[in-house]
Amino acid sequence: IAFEKSFKLLKSNGALARFAYHAGKDTANPELMTEIDKLYAEYMPGDKDYKPYSENAAKNAALLACDYGFTDIQYKTYNFEKNFTADEYVKLLSTYPDHMRLSEEIRKEFFSKIKKTILKFGNKITINYFVDLQLARKP
């Protein structure tokens, strides 16, 4: 929908720019991630196995714009990491749509256990982010 609507709204030679953030795991603390993965298996069992977002996935996502008439397709990728305390991380999780769909009771219990787990490992979780920027032009 986004490409189709953007194409219709843009004037000729107009550009579409899209950023997407993909949160990765704390690779510096595999024990923490193992415990958090167990919580996800318990509270969100329908989730698929985690696969890190890749350069190839970013390229393929950018090339989708061709199907809607865009040209001059470009993409750039960036990586950075951000440290969160247990409270900050739970606050972040509360903004994720799939987490918000959990019932309030389940969500509170789940988040409480995530918080306790992060506290157990020194009150720090480092999230590795992969960011892709997609650029496309309307002819």
Side-chain angles (χ1 to χ4, degrees):
I1 294 173
F3 288 121
E4 185 178 344
K5 285 186 176 185
S6 298
F7 193 86
K8 286 179 183 177
L9 291 171
L10 285 170
K11 294 179 181 177
S12 182
N13 209 32
L16 169 67
R18 179 188 166 275
F19 271 102
Y21 289 79
H22 310 277
K25 293 190 174 196
D26 186 341
T27 55
N29 199 338
E31 292 173 1
L32 168 62
M33 291 315 303
T34 296
E35 290 202 25
I36 288 178
D37 285 346
K38 288 177 186 174
L39 292 172
Y40 272 92
E42 179 182 347
Y43 287 92
M44 297 180 78
D47 273 11
K48 297 176 185 171
D49 289 334
Y50 169 78
K51 292 178 186 155
Y53 202 76
S54 67
E55 182 85 17
N56 194 47
K59 177 182 176 183
N60 290 337
L63 290 175
L64 286 174
C66 292
D67 296 343
Y68 296 88
F70 286 96
T71 61
D72 300 328
I73 309 299
Q74 297 178 43
Y75 74 98
K76 305 269 188 220
T77 61
Y78 308 90
N79 294 289
F80 70 94
E81 59 183 39
K82 182 166 174 42
N83 295 320
F84 294 92
T85 65
D87 284 331
E88 291 167 339
Y89 189 65
V90 167
K91 194 172 190 178
L92 173 67
L93 292 180
S94 72
T95 68
Y96 290 1
D98 57 344
H99 291 63
M100 291 187 306
R101 284 192 290 269
L102 296 170
S103 72
E104 186 175 348
E105 181 182 326
I106 297 295
R107 189 172 57 246
K108 282 182 179 181
E109 185 177 312
F110 180 37
F111 287 0
S112 174
K113 288 183 179 181
I114 287 178
K115 180 178 177 176
K116 286 178 187 175
T117 301
I118 296 169
L119 289 170
K120 176 179 154 183
F121 284 88
N123 196 25
K124 180 179 122 180
I125 184 168
T126 302
I127 300 302
N128 297 291
Y129 284 97
F130 184 95
V131 181
D132 62 315
L133 165 64
Q134 300 166 5
L135 302 167
R137 186 162 307 281
K138 179 177 179 177

